[in-house]
Amino acid sequence: MRILSRNFRLQDITIMYFTALGALMVILVASYQAPTNAFNVSDLKPSSSTPLLPLPMPFRMPLDPRGELHLSWNISYATQEVFMLLKVAELRYGVVLGMSDRGELTNADLVVLWDSGTKSFFGDAWSDSEGRVSLDSQQDYELIEAKQKPDGFYLLFKRPFSTCDPRDYLIEEGTVHVIYGFLDEPLTSLDKLNLSRIHTGVQRVLMLRPDTPDPTLPPGLQTLDVLSPNIFIPNQETTYWCFIQKLPENMPKNHIIMYESMVTPGNEAIVHHMEVFECSPDVPDVPEYSGSCDDKMKPSKLNSCRHVLAAWAMGAEAFYYPPDAGLPMGGPGSSRFLRLEVHYHNPLLISGRRDSSGIRLHYTPSLRRFDAGIMELGLVYTPIMAIPPKQHSFYLSGYCTSKCTQAALPSGGIYIFASQLHTHLAGRGVRTVLVRGGKEVEVVQEDQHFSTHYQTIRVLRKMTKVLPGDVLITKCTYNTEDRSGPTVGGFSITDEMCVNYVHYYPRTQLELCKTHVDPGYLQKYFNFINRFQGNDGCVCGDVGVTEQYSQLQWDAFTGEVLDSLYSTAPDLDALQPVDRTSLSWRVGQAARPGGDGGPGKTSVPLRRRSPAQQPTTDTPSVSPVWGGRAPNLLQDKCVLVLFLCSRNSFRLL
Ligand SMILES: *[C@@H]1O[C@H](CO)[C@@H](O)[C@H](O)[C@H]1NC(C)=O
Ligand SMILES: *[C@@H]1O[C@H](CO)[C@@H](O)[C@H](O)[C@H]1NC(C)=O
């Protein structure tokens, strides 16, 4: 955008010119309407016109792995519409673009350009649950321009976010599953189109994004490239490549204020997503490594590198921190080791391709006013939370309670400016809301078409201010229709998570603010269901929760009771007396005077209990806070908060 702005005037004029031209063409074309209500696109043959300036579309994405089809788009929030420019490198007899709930070819909203052999048409269509394609009675995709240029065929059209046609897709914030297809033969009429017989594919995009212009960067920035070291992309469909990069020794604290992707030219359609993680400062020496992240022989210390510094996914723009904040890198208490993870998606099994893709961090030693931080909201990674099999939509919610925010947030509150949602394979949707005074006041982030295959840090259109005492509820939706056994919470890709990593400032010591239901109530659930199912001889308490879940006979009733347990059983409030005891006890043990809290410094009055009230059994071990920073008073209190929020700590990251 910055580069383009210099040519803005010229482009402005160009846009006006082409809009006028497009409008004229639509008028001309519309008067040649076919018997259907599709537009007749008169001329798809290559024209000999001179190359045109690229249209100023800020968002772009390759759709197919060969890179033959590119979608670029812009958004007008004022008129609530999306302009899409589709470029087809080699147009044969047409192209299909569509949107559907999860990328299915059925029940999809389609826009089709097709050539009957003598004439070409453009129309808004849909496919039914059997995949039969028909033209919509209401045409909501408006063709603006169709033009052959030297580098491909360009189709410019627009569509409102929401049409009132129930057969159309509603374009919302969050992931959109875009489907595409190529027509290699003439199509006499649209109802002869069978999507299962043409070459199709799916690509996920974040269609709606903030449309604010990129901020200008201050002078004196330094860059650090975290790139894969000219590797050969393995000729297999999915590779996660891991690479360890060292920061210079004794690097002082800097602020990362922007980062962007560096994708090796030619590999744009293969490099699917990339993340840079900081290793745990507790692990002093992470060995050099460049290889598959799934290699059984990889050094185990790589597992300590899980603190996200930067994340990019196909189609994402450069990421800018708010003007007041930067992400700390270097300095005491931080690790010298970064882990780059690149996901290569190579379904065509291309071999011999080299790649040096990665992320460029822009950082500055002139620290900004606030450190930015990342807080993990949602559910604790524990099998206590499970999803019954054969569920179309099952919901799990995790809370960042008012007691947690009260204890850990500064009185002025924090600002959430970006968010990264996370579930595993069964996840279908994630929604985090802000609750104040018992009322839902704001949706922080919502994705109703979430896919674990498309994770990126999303900048919020509007920052969310969270005050002490507010509650953040993260609710995830799961689909387990294809599973025969229960799915429990955990780390494996077939287990589930419900997480929203929110990026915010000023940073506090609160890194996890999550819950799960009271395990005691869960035992009551097991007892009840087992008695109901006649399993009297059950040894419920003696086996793990996962085992108990899998021993149940899963039917609609078992699932419904679990759902109502989750929505009614206490998460925290009932636990608090217990937790407060153990935590107060811990604070009593570990509190150190003179802690430095930074901008997140708050004073949290904690009642200490007398030794007589200390729990004598079942004193849980302290949840490790990521980063293992030097303990101080505030941190102890925050550990306390963490503790309250995730009592049964399995493995907290
Ligand atoms: C989007 O692109 C179209 C076509 O190039 C242009 O007419 C329109 O002004 C652009 N809108 C925005 C909001 O940038
Ligand atoms: C489309 O083609 C597939 C595969 O050839 C076939 O099974 C299906 O019945 C066809 N659908 C329609 C609606 O004709």
Side-chain angles (χ1 to χ4, degrees), residues 7-35:
N7 302 327
F8 189 64
R9 280 190 63 85
L10 175 61
Q11 281 173 352
D12 226 6
I13 294 161
T14 319
I15 301 164
M16 277 152 53
Y17 173 72
F18 285 115
T19 312
L21 198 69
L24 188 66
M25 183 162 169
V26 168
I27 294 164
L28 288 177
V29 152
S31 57
Y32 283 102
Q33 270 189 24

PDB file of all heavy atoms in Angstrom, residues 7-35:
ATOM      1  N   ASN A   7       1.642   6.433  -6.498  1.00  0.00           N
ATOM      2  CA  ASN A   7       0.980   6.487  -7.800  1.00  0.00           C
ATOM      3  C   ASN A   7      -0.519   6.702  -7.650  1.00  0.00           C
ATOM      4  O   ASN A   7      -1.287   6.454  -8.550  1.00  0.00           O
ATOM      5  CB  ASN A   7       1.199   5.169  -8.548  1.00  0.00           C
ATOM      6  CG  ASN A   7       2.665   4.889  -8.715  1.00  0.00           C
ATOM      7  OD1 ASN A   7       3.438   5.823  -8.855  1.00  0.00           O
ATOM      8  ND2 ASN A   7       3.032   3.625  -8.675  1.00  0.00           N
ATOM      9  N   PHE A   8      -0.868   7.117  -6.479  1.00  0.00           N
ATOM     10  CA  PHE A   8      -2.289   7.088  -6.168  1.00  0.00           C
ATOM     11  C   PHE A   8      -3.129   7.911  -7.141  1.00  0.00           C
ATOM     12  O   PHE A   8      -4.140   7.463  -7.641  1.00  0.00           O
ATOM     13  CB  PHE A   8      -2.499   7.562  -4.733  1.00  0.00           C
ATOM     14  CG  PHE A   8      -3.897   7.354  -4.274  1.00  0.00           C
ATOM     15  CD1 PHE A   8      -4.414   6.066  -4.169  1.00  0.00           C
ATOM     16  CD2 PHE A   8      -4.706   8.422  -3.988  1.00  0.00           C
ATOM     17  CE1 PHE A   8      -5.713   5.864  -3.776  1.00  0.00           C
ATOM     18  CE2 PHE A   8      -6.002   8.210  -3.579  1.00  0.00           C
ATOM     19  CZ  PHE A   8      -6.510   6.942  -3.480  1.00  0.00           C
ATOM     20  N   ARG A   9      -2.636   9.087  -7.439  1.00  0.00           N
ATOM     21  CA  ARG A   9      -3.440   9.964  -8.291  1.00  0.00           C
ATOM     22  C   ARG A   9      -3.656   9.315  -9.654  1.00  0.00           C
ATOM     23  O   ARG A   9      -4.773   9.250 -10.142  1.00  0.00           O
ATOM     24  CB  ARG A   9      -2.754  11.317  -8.445  1.00  0.00           C
ATOM     25  CG  ARG A   9      -2.984  12.228  -7.245  1.00  0.00           C
ATOM     26  CD  ARG A   9      -2.498  13.619  -7.558  1.00  0.00           C
ATOM     27  NE  ARG A   9      -3.251  14.203  -8.659  1.00  0.00           N
ATOM     28  CZ  ARG A   9      -4.411  14.832  -8.509  1.00  0.00           C
ATOM     29  NH1 ARG A   9      -4.956  14.934  -7.323  1.00  0.00           N
ATOM     30  NH2 ARG A   9      -5.023  15.354  -9.546  1.00  0.00           N
ATOM     31  N   LEU A  10      -2.566   8.807 -10.181  1.00  0.00           N
ATOM     32  CA  LEU A  10      -2.654   8.190 -11.494  1.00  0.00           C
ATOM     33  C   LEU A  10      -3.621   7.010 -11.443  1.00  0.00           C
ATOM     34  O   LEU A  10      -4.479   6.838 -12.295  1.00  0.00           O
ATOM     35  CB  LEU A  10      -1.249   7.716 -11.924  1.00  0.00           C
ATOM     36  CG  LEU A  10      -1.232   6.950 -13.234  1.00  0.00           C
ATOM     37  CD1 LEU A  10      -1.743   7.832 -14.364  1.00  0.00           C
ATOM     38  CD2 LEU A  10       0.176   6.453 -13.543  1.00  0.00           C
ATOM     39  N   GLN A  11      -3.481   6.238 -10.304  1.00  0.00           N
ATOM     40  CA  GLN A  11      -4.332   5.067 -10.210  1.00  0.00           C
ATOM     41  C   GLN A  11      -5.782   5.456 -10.018  1.00  0.00           C
ATOM     42  O   GLN A  11      -6.681   4.817 -10.545  1.00  0.00           O
ATOM     43  CB  GLN A  11      -3.863   4.198  -9.058  1.00  0.00           C
ATOM     44  CG  GLN A  11      -2.659   3.414  -9.496  1.00  0.00           C
ATOM     45  CD  GLN A  11      -2.050   2.666  -8.352  1.00  0.00           C
ATOM     46  OE1 GLN A  11      -2.467   2.869  -7.223  1.00  0.00           O
ATOM     47  NE2 GLN A  11      -1.101   1.838  -8.634  1.00  0.00           N
ATOM     48  N   ASP A  12      -5.964   6.511  -9.288  1.00  0.00           N
ATOM     49  CA  ASP A  12      -7.309   6.994  -9.053  1.00  0.00           C
ATOM     50  C   ASP A  12      -8.003   7.265 -10.382  1.00  0.00           C
ATOM     51  O   ASP A  12      -9.148   6.873 -10.617  1.00  0.00           O
ATOM     52  CB  ASP A  12      -7.198   8.296  -8.249  1.00  0.00           C
ATOM     53  CG  ASP A  12      -8.176   8.295  -7.108  1.00  0.00           C
ATOM     54  OD1 ASP A  12      -8.832   7.262  -6.903  1.00  0.00           O
ATOM     55  OD2 ASP A  12      -8.288   9.317  -6.451  1.00  0.00           O
ATOM     56  N   ILE A  13      -7.239   7.941 -11.223  1.00  0.00           N
ATOM     57  CA  ILE A  13      -7.794   8.287 -12.530  1.00  0.00           C
ATOM     58  C   ILE A  13      -8.037   7.009 -13.329  1.00  0.00           C
ATOM     59  O   ILE A  13      -9.084   6.826 -13.945  1.00  0.00           O
ATOM     60  CB  ILE A  13      -6.816   9.239 -13.270  1.00  0.00           C
ATOM     61  CG1 ILE A  13      -6.750  10.557 -12.496  1.00  0.00           C
ATOM     62  CG2 ILE A  13      -7.265   9.469 -14.704  1.00  0.00           C
ATOM     63  CD1 ILE A  13      -5.542  11.396 -12.802  1.00  0.00           C
ATOM     64  N   THR A  14      -7.061   6.094 -13.199  1.00  0.00           N
ATOM     65  CA  THR A  14      -7.208   4.828 -13.921  1.00  0.00           C
ATOM     66  C   THR A  14      -8.455   4.087 -13.447  1.00  0.00           C
ATOM     67  O   THR A  14      -9.226   3.567 -14.248  1.00  0.00           O
ATOM     68  CB  THR A  14      -5.969   3.942 -13.672  1.00  0.00           C
ATOM     69  OG1 THR A  14      -4.828   4.766 -13.710  1.00  0.00           O
ATOM     70  CG2 THR A  14      -5.857   2.853 -14.701  1.00  0.00           C
ATOM     71  N   ILE A  15      -8.646   4.082 -12.135  1.00  0.00           N
ATOM     72  CA  ILE A  15      -9.819   3.363 -11.605  1.00  0.00           C
ATOM     73  C   ILE A  15     -11.094   3.999 -12.141  1.00  0.00           C
ATOM     74  O   ILE A  15     -12.000   3.315 -12.603  1.00  0.00           O
ATOM     75  CB  ILE A  15      -9.893   3.445 -10.061  1.00  0.00           C
ATOM     76  CG1 ILE A  15      -8.647   2.852  -9.440  1.00  0.00           C
ATOM     77  CG2 ILE A  15     -11.105   2.715  -9.534  1.00  0.00           C
ATOM     78  CD1 ILE A  15      -8.497   3.246  -7.993  1.00  0.00           C
ATOM     79  N   MET A  16     -11.129   5.333 -12.095  1.00  0.00           N
ATOM     80  CA  MET A  16     -12.331   6.008 -12.564  1.00  0.00           C
ATOM     81  C   MET A  16     -12.579   5.662 -14.031  1.00  0.00           C
ATOM     82  O   MET A  16     -13.697   5.361 -14.437  1.00  0.00           O
ATOM     83  CB  MET A  16     -12.192   7.525 -12.378  1.00  0.00           C
ATOM     84  CG  MET A  16     -12.545   7.950 -10.957  1.00  0.00           C
ATOM     85  SD  MET A  16     -11.705   9.438 -10.411  1.00  0.00           S
ATOM     86  CE  MET A  16     -12.092  10.570 -11.694  1.00  0.00           C
ATOM     87  N   TYR A  17     -11.498   5.643 -14.769  1.00  0.00           N
ATOM     88  CA  TYR A  17     -11.608   5.343 -16.192  1.00  0.00           C
ATOM     89  C   TYR A  17     -12.175   3.938 -16.394  1.00  0.00           C
ATOM     90  O   TYR A  17     -13.127   3.728 -17.130  1.00  0.00           O
ATOM     91  CB  TYR A  17     -10.218   5.483 -16.831  1.00  0.00           C
ATOM     92  CG  TYR A  17     -10.175   5.028 -18.271  1.00  0.00           C
ATOM     93  CD1 TYR A  17     -10.780   5.802 -19.263  1.00  0.00           C
ATOM     94  CD2 TYR A  17      -9.546   3.850 -18.615  1.00  0.00           C
ATOM     95  CE1 TYR A  17     -10.753   5.381 -20.577  1.00  0.00           C
ATOM     96  CE2 TYR A  17      -9.511   3.428 -19.922  1.00  0.00           C
ATOM     97  CZ  TYR A  17     -10.111   4.190 -20.919  1.00  0.00           C
ATOM     98  OH  TYR A  17     -10.081   3.766 -22.200  1.00  0.00           O
ATOM     99  N   PHE A  18     -11.587   2.978 -15.646  1.00  0.00           N
ATOM    100  CA  PHE A  18     -12.030   1.601 -15.854  1.00  0.00           C
ATOM    101  C   PHE A  18     -13.404   1.349 -15.269  1.00  0.00           C
ATOM    102  O   PHE A  18     -14.139   0.513 -15.762  1.00  0.00           O
ATOM    103  CB  PHE A  18     -11.003   0.614 -15.297  1.00  0.00           C
ATOM    104  CG  PHE A  18      -9.806   0.518 -16.194  1.00  0.00           C
ATOM    105  CD1 PHE A  18      -8.562   0.939 -15.774  1.00  0.00           C
ATOM    106  CD2 PHE A  18      -9.965   0.054 -17.484  1.00  0.00           C
ATOM    107  CE1 PHE A  18      -7.487   0.882 -16.616  1.00  0.00           C
ATOM    108  CE2 PHE A  18      -8.886  -0.010 -18.339  1.00  0.00           C
ATOM    109  CZ  PHE A  18      -7.639   0.415 -17.905  1.00  0.00           C
ATOM    110  N   THR A  19     -13.733   2.069 -14.213  1.00  0.00           N
ATOM    111  CA  THR A  19     -15.072   1.905 -13.664  1.00  0.00           C
ATOM    112  C   THR A  19     -16.073   2.369 -14.715  1.00  0.00           C
ATOM    113  O   THR A  19     -17.074   1.700 -14.988  1.00  0.00           O
ATOM    114  CB  THR A  19     -15.223   2.715 -12.367  1.00  0.00           C
ATOM    115  OG1 THR A  19     -14.095   2.444 -11.552  1.00  0.00           O
ATOM    116  CG2 THR A  19     -16.487   2.372 -11.639  1.00  0.00           C
ATOM    117  N   ALA A  20     -15.771   3.504 -15.330  1.00  0.00           N
ATOM    118  CA  ALA A  20     -16.656   4.031 -16.367  1.00  0.00           C
ATOM    119  C   ALA A  20     -16.724   3.038 -17.529  1.00  0.00           C
ATOM    120  O   ALA A  20     -17.803   2.694 -18.015  1.00  0.00           O
ATOM    121  CB  ALA A  20     -16.143   5.386 -16.838  1.00  0.00           C
ATOM    122  N   LEU A  21     -15.560   2.546 -17.904  1.00  0.00           N
ATOM    123  CA  LEU A  21     -15.489   1.593 -19.014  1.00  0.00           C
ATOM    124  C   LEU A  21     -16.267   0.335 -18.661  1.00  0.00           C
ATOM    125  O   LEU A  21     -17.046  -0.188 -19.464  1.00  0.00           O
ATOM    126  CB  LEU A  21     -14.017   1.245 -19.256  1.00  0.00           C
ATOM    127  CG  LEU A  21     -13.689   0.635 -20.596  1.00  0.00           C
ATOM    128  CD1 LEU A  21     -13.863   1.691 -21.681  1.00  0.00           C
ATOM    129  CD2 LEU A  21     -12.247   0.127 -20.591  1.00  0.00           C
ATOM    130  N   GLY A  22     -16.056  -0.106 -17.407  1.00  0.00           N
ATOM    131  CA  GLY A  22     -16.730  -1.313 -16.937  1.00  0.00           C
ATOM    132  C   GLY A  22     -18.238  -1.118 -16.968  1.00  0.00           C
ATOM    133  O   GLY A  22     -18.978  -1.979 -17.447  1.00  0.00           O
ATOM    134  N   ALA A  23     -18.667   0.038 -16.490  1.00  0.00           N
ATOM    135  CA  ALA A  23     -20.104   0.309 -16.439  1.00  0.00           C
ATOM    136  C   ALA A  23     -20.678   0.284 -17.853  1.00  0.00           C
ATOM    137  O   ALA A  23     -21.729  -0.311 -18.100  1.00  0.00           O
ATOM    138  CB  ALA A  23     -20.339   1.670 -15.792  1.00  0.00           C
ATOM    139  N   LEU A  24     -19.945   0.875 -18.770  1.00  0.00           N
ATOM    140  CA  LEU A  24     -20.385   0.917 -20.156  1.00  0.00           C
ATOM    141  C   LEU A  24     -20.502  -0.504 -20.698  1.00  0.00           C
ATOM    142  O   LEU A  24     -21.479  -0.882 -21.329  1.00  0.00           O
ATOM    143  CB  LEU A  24     -19.368   1.726 -20.981  1.00  0.00           C
ATOM    144  CG  LEU A  24     -19.784   2.009 -22.405  1.00  0.00           C
ATOM    145  CD1 LEU A  24     -20.992   2.939 -22.423  1.00  0.00           C
ATOM    146  CD2 LEU A  24     -18.634   2.650 -23.174  1.00  0.00           C
ATOM    147  N   MET A  25     -19.493  -1.279 -20.362  1.00  0.00           N
ATOM    148  CA  MET A  25     -19.460  -2.646 -20.862  1.00  0.00           C
ATOM    149  C   MET A  25     -20.621  -3.454 -20.299  1.00  0.00           C
ATOM    150  O   MET A  25     -21.261  -4.220 -21.005  1.00  0.00           O
ATOM    151  CB  MET A  25     -18.149  -3.290 -20.437  1.00  0.00           C
ATOM    152  CG  MET A  25     -18.037  -4.664 -20.975  1.00  0.00           C
ATOM    153  SD  MET A  25     -16.369  -5.206 -20.919  1.00  0.00           S
ATOM    154  CE  MET A  25     -16.668  -6.916 -21.297  1.00  0.00           C
ATOM    155  N   VAL A  26     -20.895  -3.222 -19.004  1.00  0.00           N
ATOM    156  CA  VAL A  26     -21.998  -3.948 -18.388  1.00  0.00           C
ATOM    157  C   VAL A  26     -23.296  -3.583 -19.099  1.00  0.00           C
ATOM    158  O   VAL A  26     -24.119  -4.443 -19.404  1.00  0.00           O
ATOM    159  CB  VAL A  26     -22.076  -3.628 -16.878  1.00  0.00           C
ATOM    160  CG1 VAL A  26     -23.370  -4.133 -16.296  1.00  0.00           C
ATOM    161  CG2 VAL A  26     -20.889  -4.243 -16.169  1.00  0.00           C
ATOM    162  N   ILE A  27     -23.433  -2.295 -19.411  1.00  0.00           N
ATOM    163  CA  ILE A  27     -24.655  -1.866 -20.097  1.00  0.00           C
ATOM    164  C   ILE A  27     -24.744  -2.558 -21.462  1.00  0.00           C
ATOM    165  O   ILE A  27     -25.766  -3.128 -21.823  1.00  0.00           O
ATOM    166  CB  ILE A  27     -24.665  -0.326 -20.252  1.00  0.00           C
ATOM    167  CG1 ILE A  27     -24.760   0.315 -18.863  1.00  0.00           C
ATOM    168  CG2 ILE A  27     -25.822   0.128 -21.129  1.00  0.00           C
ATOM    169  CD1 ILE A  27     -24.399   1.769 -18.826  1.00  0.00           C
ATOM    170  N   LEU A  28     -23.627  -2.559 -22.171  1.00  0.00           N
ATOM    171  CA  LEU A  28     -23.612  -3.183 -23.497  1.00  0.00           C
ATOM    172  C   LEU A  28     -23.918  -4.669 -23.386  1.00  0.00           C
ATOM    173  O   LEU A  28     -24.769  -5.200 -24.090  1.00  0.00           O
ATOM    174  CB  LEU A  28     -22.232  -2.991 -24.153  1.00  0.00           C
ATOM    175  CG  LEU A  28     -21.931  -1.574 -24.609  1.00  0.00           C
ATOM    176  CD1 LEU A  28     -20.520  -1.485 -25.184  1.00  0.00           C
ATOM    177  CD2 LEU A  28     -22.949  -1.104 -25.642  1.00  0.00           C
ATOM    178  N   VAL A  29     -23.208  -5.289 -22.446  1.00  0.00           N
ATOM    179  CA  VAL A  29     -23.317  -6.726 -22.285  1.00  0.00           C
ATOM    180  C   VAL A  29     -24.717  -7.104 -21.828  1.00  0.00           C
ATOM    181  O   VAL A  29     -25.316  -8.048 -22.317  1.00  0.00           O
ATOM    182  CB  VAL A  29     -22.224  -7.172 -21.288  1.00  0.00           C
ATOM    183  CG1 VAL A  29     -22.628  -8.413 -20.550  1.00  0.00           C
ATOM    184  CG2 VAL A  29     -20.912  -7.377 -22.017  1.00  0.00           C
ATOM    185  N   ALA A  30     -25.254  -6.301 -20.920  1.00  0.00           N
ATOM    186  CA  ALA A  30     -26.561  -6.619 -20.362  1.00  0.00           C
ATOM    187  C   ALA A  30     -27.625  -6.637 -21.454  1.00  0.00           C
ATOM    188  O   ALA A  30     -28.575  -7.403 -21.391  1.00  0.00           O
ATOM    189  CB  ALA A  30     -26.919  -5.610 -19.280  1.00  0.00           C
ATOM    190  N   SER A  31     -27.429  -5.818 -22.454  1.00  0.00           N
ATOM    191  CA  SER A  31     -28.436  -5.780 -23.506  1.00  0.00           C
ATOM    192  C   SER A  31     -28.371  -7.019 -24.400  1.00  0.00           C
ATOM    193  O   SER A  31     -29.243  -7.258 -25.201  1.00  0.00           O
ATOM    194  CB  SER A  31     -28.288  -4.496 -24.321  1.00  0.00           C
ATOM    195  OG  SER A  31     -26.989  -4.451 -24.842  1.00  0.00           O
ATOM    196  N   TYR A  32     -27.299  -7.802 -24.232  1.00  0.00           N
ATOM    197  CA  TYR A  32     -27.192  -9.049 -25.008  1.00  0.00           C
ATOM    198  C   TYR A  32     -27.540 -10.248 -24.159  1.00  0.00           C
ATOM    199  O   TYR A  32     -26.983 -11.312 -24.317  1.00  0.00           O
ATOM    200  CB  TYR A  32     -25.756  -9.237 -25.515  1.00  0.00           C
ATOM    201  CG  TYR A  32     -25.435  -8.382 -26.693  1.00  0.00           C
ATOM    202  CD1 TYR A  32     -24.680  -7.228 -26.539  1.00  0.00           C
ATOM    203  CD2 TYR A  32     -25.881  -8.746 -27.965  1.00  0.00           C
ATOM    204  CE1 TYR A  32     -24.387  -6.426 -27.613  1.00  0.00           C
ATOM    205  CE2 TYR A  32     -25.583  -7.937 -29.045  1.00  0.00           C
ATOM    206  CZ  TYR A  32     -24.837  -6.782 -28.873  1.00  0.00           C
ATOM    207  OH  TYR A  32     -24.544  -6.004 -29.939  1.00  0.00           O
ATOM    208  N   GLN A  33     -28.383 -10.060 -23.193  1.00  0.00           N
ATOM    209  CA  GLN A  33     -28.616 -11.164 -22.263  1.00  0.00           C
ATOM    210  C   GLN A  33     -29.112 -12.421 -22.944  1.00  0.00           C
ATOM    211  O   GLN A  33     -29.929 -12.378 -23.858  1.00  0.00           O
ATOM    212  CB  GLN A  33     -29.612 -10.744 -21.196  1.00  0.00           C
ATOM    213  CG  GLN A  33     -28.910 -10.132 -20.020  1.00  0.00           C
ATOM    214  CD  GLN A  33     -29.840  -9.908 -18.876  1.00  0.00           C
ATOM    215  OE1 GLN A  33     -30.859 -10.577 -18.766  1.00  0.00           O
ATOM    216  NE2 GLN A  33     -29.497  -8.969 -18.036  1.00  0.00           N
ATOM    217  N   ALA A  34     -28.602 -13.499 -22.462  1.00  0.00           N
ATOM    218  CA  ALA A  34     -29.015 -14.808 -22.955  1.00  0.00           C
ATOM    219  C   ALA A  34     -30.424 -15.079 -22.444  1.00  0.00           C
ATOM    220  O   ALA A  34     -30.937 -14.318 -21.638  1.00  0.00           O
ATOM    221  CB  ALA A  34     -28.033 -15.838 -22.426  1.00  0.00           C
ATOM    222  N   PRO A  35     -31.038 -16.179 -22.882  1.00  0.00           N
ATOM    223  CA  PRO A  35     -32.364 -16.516 -22.371  1.00  0.00           C
ATOM    224  C   PRO A  35     -32.358 -16.628 -20.842  1.00  0.00           C
ATOM    225  O   PRO A  35     -33.348 -16.346 -20.195  1.00  0.00           O
ATOM    226  CB  PRO A  35     -32.658 -17.871 -23.009  1.00  0.00           C
ATOM    227  CG  PRO A  35     -31.628 -18.095 -24.066  1.00  0.00           C
ATOM    228  CD  PRO A  35     -30.577 -17.078 -23.940  1.00  0.00           C
TER     229      PRO A  35
END
